[in-house]
Amino acid sequence: MTSPAELQAQADAFGWYHTIDLGNGVVTKGISVQETSADVLPDVAGRSVLDIGAWDGKFSFAAEQRGATRVVALDHYAWGVDFVARGAYWEECIRNGTLPDQGRDETDFWRPDLPGRRGFDFAKAALDSKVEPLVADFQKVDLDELGPFDVVLYLGVLYHMKEPLTCLERVRAITKEVAVIETEAVHLQGLDDEVLLQFHAGSSLRTDFGNWYVPTIEALHNLCRAAGFATVHTVVGPPAPPPPAPPGVREQVARRITGAPAPRPSAPSQNYRAVVHAFT
């Protein structure tokens, strides 16, 4: 038998993306910024679940604990890429002012022993979980062989994809009931209803060359509808705007004398993590 202290020490030897409660006070020390509020997951009891981009498996294990009949954790990129070596290459690109050759991710920086899956395997054993790991690129895997799932989780993946609509079409093709899409999103104050995508060619978003398209919530809804989902519900939307700063006394007097309208507010961008449930 392993004591909680011993299990925590073993867990601490890994680098974790997800914070996972392994029981008995043992918690992995993750760095994820994903939205993890309780209502991110829909009702999965008695349903099959596919977790695309599972990484350490936080949401795979959560679905299993909430009564899912079958859970498949699919990943390849986070499990197989040597992030340390790739990170050194990216730093070199930043210094040189060049864009990286991202094809090297699955050649020069690929590790067949899947070092990034060690955390998942450790948590699976600690939780005595029946979640099924599957090493596959969702953009290339045969969807007919993978099979449809009642609930599909697409969490923290969309903004890493170069072709977001094509990706969501594949998500729709394998979803029987509902897909959960969680993604980096942007809110533009004063442009609340605009259907916009920010494009990041380079490392401008969190110094990560793997970030591409960041949608407004309206754009995310439109992408899901264009992919074939019938209805889309916002679970986590834009943050509340900050209160406007009150005008100074001189500015107020000047406006009264001249009749000049108040200046239009600027539209600063505010990034956040959006979550929608897309129903078939």
Side-chain angles (χ1 to χ4, degrees):
M1 297 292 291
T2 302
S3 71
E6 291 171 328
L7 189 65
Q8 184 69 67
Q10 292 173 13
D12 291 347
F14 295 96
W16 293 90
Y17 180 68
H18 287 143
T19 300
I20 304 173
D21 187 344
L22 300 180
N24 297 314
V26 180
V27 179
T28 67
K29 298 175 181 177
I31 60 170
S32 171
V33 296
Q34 283 180 297
E35 172 59 53
T36 58
S37 56
D39 53 356
V40 166
L41 294 184
D43 180 12
V44 297
R47 292 174 168 84
S48 60
V49 177
L50 173 65
D51 184 6
I52 302 168
W55 206 327
D56 294 329
K58 177 184 179 74
F59 296 96
S60 303
F61 301 131
E64 180 182 50
Q65 291 162 0
R66 295 187 187 190
T69 54
R70 181 193 180 206
V71 181
V72 173
L74 182 151
D75 210 319
H76 83 296
Y77 190 86
W79 287 349
V81 173
D82 183 341
F83 289 122
V84 174
R86 191 205 63 179
Y89 170 56
W90 279 8
E91 290 178 2
E92 179 184 348
C93 290
I94 292 173
R95 288 195 300 270
N96 296 336
T98 58
L99 296 179
D101 175 3
Q102 299 206 5
R104 296 183 62 186
D105 289 354
E106 297 186 52
T107 55
D108 299 347
F109 305 131
W110 182 259
R111 300 294 178 262
D113 59 332
L114 304 179
R117 206 181 94 173
R118 292 170 188 163
F120 172 89
D121 291 336
F122 181 87
K124 175 174 162 49
L127 294 168
D128 192 25
S129 169
K130 302 299 188 294
V131 170
E132 306 167 32
L134 175 62
V135 181
D137 182 350
F138 182 70
Q139 291 310 109
K140 299 175 182 177
V141 69
D142 187 322
L143 297 183
D144 292 330
E145 291 184 8
L146 184 59
F149 290 80
D150 298 320
V151 179
V152 175
L153 308 180
Y154 202 58
L155 312 177
V157 179
L158 184 64
Y159 67 104
H160 292 304
M161 299 291 103
K162 294 181 180 179
E163 302 293 342
L165 179 55
T166 300
C167 295
L168 287 176
E169 288 173 340
R170 288 181 65 84
V171 172
R172 171 61 185 90
I174 207 165
T175 303
K176 291 173 65 176
E177 296 182 11
V178 58
V180 183
I181 296 99
E182 187 267 0
T183 182
E184 184 83 13
V186 64
H187 176 58
L188 302 172
Q189 294 179 30
L191 300 174
D192 301 80
D193 299 323
E194 293 297 325
V195 182
L196 300 171
L197 292 169
Q198 281 186 337
F199 179 69
H200 295 269
S203 59
S204 57
L205 180 58
R206 298 200 178 96
T207 321
D208 188 339
F209 287 105
N211 296 330
W212 295 99
Y213 289 96
V214 178
T216 63
I217 194 67
E218 290 295 330
L220 183 56
H221 275 245
N222 276 260
L223 283 166
C224 291
R225 292 294 302 276
F229 289 99
T231 58
V232 185
H233 296 167
T234 297
V235 177
V236 180
V249 174
R250 290 185 179 180
E251 183 181 355
Q252 294 182 57
V253 172
R255 284 187 202 163
R256 290 172 185 163
I257 294 174
T258 63
R264 290 186 61 187
S266 60
S269 63
Q270 186 174 6
N271 284 79
Y272 69 101
R273 304 292 291 206
V275 181
V276 299
H277 289 176
F279 296 87
T280 56

